[in-house]
């Protein structure tokens, strides 16, 4: 099939490359001339494992092309995806749909023949209706069907998620789109990936409800971790114990410094605003946002407490800046609030991240960036592990201890066992585990 992907950011580029790998002819369109020039030259603007090779292979085959010229690409397409950004709008927190609506108008002016227009961008309930209205108003003669097809890609494993999805959700109001969308996803459908057809508004809400539920799950276990610290219980054992109940499941039950990234913060806020607009307040989601925001700075206070109540003039080494491993995404990363709270208390910050340091410079000031984990520890009074990159899972702890001037190791992801850290001569602080307790069977099995 001939597919146009409007927007060559994270979702558009990954989706476009994967569709091309399925055998479709895909044109990725973006108004950013520098981005398109870079993509044509084989330079990928984001870090996503496997993406560079996938783009290169399909560009070389001619199935994947890049352009800034929307009109001819749309005119020659069977399916046009809208995969532009929907950031939180300044002032009120609603999703900013201006890019989606601008794309809809551009499509309407360029479309020729029967075309399925697919909203891939994460957008609130009713967005598909508005996209259809804009197209009809701009070009009453357009033979177009508007569909909603939310993405469920996790940064760091997006290609795997696209090619082996839990589900493919397609929201439609015109049955003519059903066969077209089945053909678009035929390689996955033949592999028995569940293709779920719903109404358009239902599909829009599925995306937001899913992200909000996962955000609540993360926030729940973080609050349980705080309770574990006060009561002497072990949050890892609690998480394992409740996760073995298949009604709950063990995923997203790892205590830590709070969630961040491009999806959960933005989507939970947009869902809350939608609930308010429809006079159905979502109290659980509202509380999730509030608790998560508080937790990030609370982790800064945890570091200060581990340092005896003051970090003024101290050097704090930071391991991991991005909101999760295997991405360079710094949006709403817990590290930002943690570092800022430590700087506010007078600390000097020396940080290392395998992929996120360049992006971090946009969000953080006054940070000294290290060349590797051991360099981050050099001369530090304390070392804080914030993002659980694989590179930080098997550190030479004795070498770390020798490089530091202090001896405090604060593990905000519970990566290490207390005994191995303390054997190296470091004072170990973790999340939701008894201070000074021995490892349990659950920890030892990790």
């Amino acid at each position: 099939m001939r597919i146009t992907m409007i927007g060559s950011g994270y979702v558009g580029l990954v989706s476009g490359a994967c569709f091309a790998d399925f055998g479709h002819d895909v044109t990725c369109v973006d108004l950013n001339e520098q981005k398109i020039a870079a993509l044509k030259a084989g330079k990928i603007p984001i870090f996503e494992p496997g993406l560079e090779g996938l783009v290169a292979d399909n560009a070389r085959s001619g199935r994947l092309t890049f352009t800034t010229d929307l009109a001819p690409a749309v005119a020659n397409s069977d399916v046009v995806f809208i995969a532009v950004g929907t950031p939180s709008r300044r002032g009120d927190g609603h999703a900013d749909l201006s890019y989606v609506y601008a794309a809809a108008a551009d499509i309407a002016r360029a479309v020729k023949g029967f075309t399925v227009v697919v909203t891939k961008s994460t957008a609130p309930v009713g967005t598909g209706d508005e996209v259809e209205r804009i197209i009809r108003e701009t070009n009453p003669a357009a033979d177009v069907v508007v569909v909603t097809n939310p993405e469920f890609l996790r940064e760091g494993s997006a290609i795997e998620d696209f090619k082996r999805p839990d589900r493919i959700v397609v929201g439609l109001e015109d049955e003519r789109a059903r066969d077209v969308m089945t053909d678009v996803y035929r390689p996955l459908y033949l592999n028995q990936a569940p293709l779920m057809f719903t109404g358009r508004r239902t599909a829009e809400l599925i995306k937001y409800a899913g992200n909000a539920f996962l955000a609540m799950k993360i926030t729940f276990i973080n609050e349980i971790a705080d309770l574990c610290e006060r009561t002497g219980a072990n949050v890892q054992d609690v998480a394992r114990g409740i996760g073995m109940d298949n009604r709950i499941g063990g995923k997203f039950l790892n205590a830590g410094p709070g969630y961040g990234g491009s999806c959960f913060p933005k989507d939970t806020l947009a869902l809350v605003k939608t609930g308010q607009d429809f006079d159905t307040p979502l109290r659980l989601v509202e509380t999730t946002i509030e608790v998560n925001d508080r937790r990030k700075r609370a982790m800064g206070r945890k570091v200060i407490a581990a340092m005896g109540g003051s970090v003024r003039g101290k050097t704090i080494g930071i391991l991991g800046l991005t909101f999760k491993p295997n991405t360079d995404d710094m949006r709403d990363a817990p590290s930002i609030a943690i570092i800022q709270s430590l700087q506010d208390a007078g600390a000097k910050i020396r940080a290392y991240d395998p992929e996120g340091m360049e992006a971090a410079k946009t969000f953080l000031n006054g940070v000294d960036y290290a060349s590797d984990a051991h360099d981050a520890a050099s001369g530090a009074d304390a070392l804080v592990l914030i993002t659980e990159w694989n590179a930080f899972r098997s550190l030479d702890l004795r070498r770390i201890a020798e490089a530091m001037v202090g001896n405090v190791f604060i593990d905000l992801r519970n990566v290490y066992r207390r005994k191995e850290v303390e054997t190296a001569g470091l004072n170990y602080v973790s999340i939701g585990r008894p201070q000074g307790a021995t490892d349990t069977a659950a920890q030892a099995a990790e």
Side-chain angles (χ1 to χ4, degrees):
M1 300 188 75
R2 294 167 299 179
I3 294 174
T4 290
M5 188 71 60
I6 298 177
S8 297
Y10 186 84
V11 173
L13 186 56
V14 171
S15 300
C18 288
F19 280 137
D21 209 45
F22 291 166
H24 300 305
D25 291 323
V26 180
T27 301
C28 287
V29 178
D30 202 287
L31 298 180
N32 187 324
E33 294 182 358
Q34 290 182 323
K35 180 186 290 186
I36 292 298
L39 287 168
K40 285 181 176 180
K43 298 176 182 177
I44 307 300
I46 56 174
F47 176 76
E48 176 63 35
L51 183 58
E52 184 175 357
L54 190 68
V55 169
D57 289 346
N58 285 283
R60 194 180 307 113
S61 72
R63 290 190 300 269
L64 181 63
T65 57
F66 303 97
T67 184
T68 58
D69 197 354
L70 179 146
V74 169
N76 292 321
S77 289
D78 304 300
V79 184
V80 179
F81 284 85
I82 299 174
V84 297
T86 55
S88 295
R89 191 166 62 191
R90 288 189 177 185
D92 62 7
H94 282 273
D96 183 352
L97 301 176
S98 58
Y99 303 111
V100 173
Y101 295 154
D106 288 340
I107 292 167
R109 286 186 285 266
V111 72
K112 294 185 185 302
F114 176 68
T115 307
V116 175
V117 176
V118 185
T119 304
K120 194 75 171 167
S121 303
T122 300
V125 173
T127 301
D129 299 349
E130 184 65 11
V131 167
E132 182 170 2
R133 186 198 65 78
I134 290 170
I135 293 174
R136 303 289 181 219
E137 185 178 272
T138 305
N139 182 2
D143 187 11
V144 165
V145 174
V146 176
V147 166
T148 294
N149 174 218
E151 56 85 14
F152 300 101
L153 306 179
R154 296 170 299 166
E155 294 188 38
S157 56
I159 294 170
E160 178 73 12
D161 288 346
F162 196 99
K163 292 189 171 184
R164 293 173 179 80
D166 295 324
R167 74 288 202 201
I168 303 162
V169 176
V170 178
L172 52 82
E173 303 299 330
D174 187 325
E175 284 297 317
R176 290 184 297 166
R178 185 183 293 264
D179 288 343
V180 175
M181 294 304 293
T182 299
D183 284 344
V184 167
Y185 284 105
R186 184 168 298 280
L188 298 180
Y189 185 64
L190 292 174
N191 289 333
Q192 299 184 331
L195 190 56
M196 177 181 178
F197 288 98
T198 72
R200 213 158 46 196
R201 289 188 166 216
T202 300
E204 290 164 342
L205 193 53
I206 285 171
K207 168 67 176 181
Y208 278 104
N211 277 354
F213 189 85
L214 294 175
M216 285 194 296
K217 201 171 180 182
I218 293 169
T219 305
F220 172 81
I221 201 62
N222 283 340
E223 290 206 309
I224 293 297
D226 291 343
L227 182 60
C228 286
E229 290 184 11
R230 295 295 183 91
T231 61
N234 188 312
V235 71
Q236 288 182 304
D237 289 343
V238 172
R240 183 167 178 259
I242 64 176
M244 292 172 75
D245 184 333
N246 58 22
R247 295 170 300 175
I248 297 172
K251 293 183 178 180
F252 287 83
L253 286 179
N254 297 312
Y259 62 78
S262 62
C263 292
F264 286 2
K266 171 177 70 73
D267 293 351
T268 49
L269 184 57
L271 184 59
V272 163
K273 296 300 180 181
T274 300
Q276 292 171 353
D277 286 348
F278 285 88
D279 198 26
T280 54
L282 303 170
R283 301 302 189 200
L284 286 174
V285 186
E286 290 174 2
T287 301
T288 294
I289 295 170
E290 179 187 351
V291 171
N292 188 67
D293 287 344
R294 287 203 313 265
R295 183 166 189 81
K296 295 174 184 179
R297 284 194 69 93
M299 292 298 99
R301 295 193 295 273
K302 185 179 184 71
V303 173
I304 294 170
M307 294 292 292
S310 176
V311 292
R312 186 161 301 280
K314 303 289 188 181
T315 297
I316 309 296
I318 301 292
L319 299 182
L321 295 167
T322 54
F323 85 96
K324 64 180 289 188
N326 297 320
T327 180
D328 58 356
D329 197 340
M330 283 292 300
R331 286 173 288 184
D332 281 300
S335 64
I336 298 171
I338 294 170
I339 288 172
Q340 288 173 342
S341 67
L342 293 173
Q343 289 176 325
D344 290 345
K348 301 173 185 176
I349 304 298
R350 185 167 174 79
Y352 172 71
D353 187 281
E355 294 292 338
M357 291 191 290
E358 194 60 38
K361 293 174 184 176
T362 303
F363 296 88
L364 295 166
N365 296 314
V367 173
D368 179 23
Y369 293 98
S371 59
D372 58 30
H374 296 98
D375 188 29
S378 180
D381 296 279
L383 189 64
V384 185
L385 197 163
I386 298 179
T387 312
E388 69 278 29
W389 286 87
N390 284 338
F392 303 149
R393 290 183 175 274
S394 56
L395 295 170
D396 184 338
L397 294 173
R398 290 192 182 278
R399 182 180 168 193
I400 290 286
E402 290 171 0
M404 295 173 63
V405 297
N407 71 336
V408 180
F409 184 90
I410 301 152
D411 181 0
L412 298 183
R413 297 289 182 175
N414 290 346
V415 169
Y416 285 90
R417 303 186 187 113
R418 178 177 304 281
K419 185 176 180 180
E420 64 180 320
V421 178
E422 293 181 342
T423 298
L426 295 168
N427 179 23
Y428 183 66
V429 178
S430 59
I431 296 285
R433 295 191 287 187
Q435 187 73 11
T438 57
D439 290 327
T440 64
Q443 289 169 251
E446 290 179 344

